[in-house]
């Protein structure tokens, strides 16, 4: 069992940056592939990024590649999502998720067993 708590969301203007953080508690953090997803009103949950337990491998969605990056600090049980050059299409609730002993950096939400409560990101022109 692992509990996930996101932070760092907010309201920003287009072109700004935000860094989201997700702190995990429970089992050994490095056992989990960690992912970030987002969901805009009226839309399905969308994969954003994932990172392996060691942090050596990552997978970034094409829609945010070159603007977003994912990293983790296993000593702090924390995964980060750095978001640069934000635009209004990035407006969504952002969720952190954990896949226990995951072998691939899956983009499928149902492959992740644990989820945080989400943090809102609003980007205005």
């Amino acid at each position: 069992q692992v509990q996930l708590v996101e932070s760092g969301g907010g309201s920003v203007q287009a072109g700004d940056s935000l860094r989201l953080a997700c702190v995990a508690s429970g089992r050994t953090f490095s056992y989990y592939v960690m992912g970030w997803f987002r969901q805009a009103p009226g839309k399905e949950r969308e994969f954003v990024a994932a990172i392996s337990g060691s942090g050596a491998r990552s997978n970034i969605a094409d829609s945010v590649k070159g603007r977003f990056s994912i990293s983790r600090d296993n000593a702090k049980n924390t995964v980060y999502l750095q978001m640069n050059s934000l635009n209004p299409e990035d407006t969504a609730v952002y969720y952190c998720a954990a896949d226990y002993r995951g072998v691939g950096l899956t983009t499928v939400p149902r492959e992740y067993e644990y989820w945080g409560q989400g943090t809102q990101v609003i980007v205005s022109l």
Side-chain angles (χ1 to χ4, degrees):
Q1 189 84 8
V2 66
Q3 292 77 43
L4 304 173
V5 179
E6 302 100 331
S7 63
S11 295
V12 297
Q13 292 189 322
D16 286 350
S17 298
L18 279 175
R19 188 176 78 157
L20 306 183
C22 172
V23 178
S25 60
R27 281 179 171 169
T28 304
F29 184 60
S30 61
Y31 288 176
Y32 292 88
V33 166
M34 299 299 297
W36 285 98
F37 291 78
R38 66 186 183 184
Q39 190 165 18
K43 294 188 177 181
E44 293 188 353
R45 195 162 294 192
E46 173 191 19
F47 170 78
V48 176
I51 190 167
S52 63
S54 68
R57 296 179 297 120
S58 63
N59 183 17
I60 308 292
D62 288 342
S63 60
V64 302
K65 196 168 289 183
R67 299 188 298 121
F68 290 13
S69 62
I70 188 171
S71 61
R72 67 190 295 161
D73 184 341
N74 285 349
K76 295 182 178 180
N77 285 3
T78 303
V79 61
Y80 302 97
L81 183 69
Q82 178 66 44
M83 305 186 295
N84 299 327
S85 301
L86 286 161
N87 60 61
E89 289 69 40
D90 297 317
T91 294
V93 177
Y94 284 72
Y95 296 91
C96 154
D99 175 15
Y100 182 63
R101 297 284 194 182
V103 296
L105 303 180
T106 180
T107 65
V108 179
R110 66 175 180 271
E111 299 291 330
Y112 291 80
E113 297 95 334
Y114 304 103
W115 291 82
Q117 82 288 351
T119 186
Q120 177 75 60
V121 172
I122 299 173
V123 185
S124 57
L125 289 172

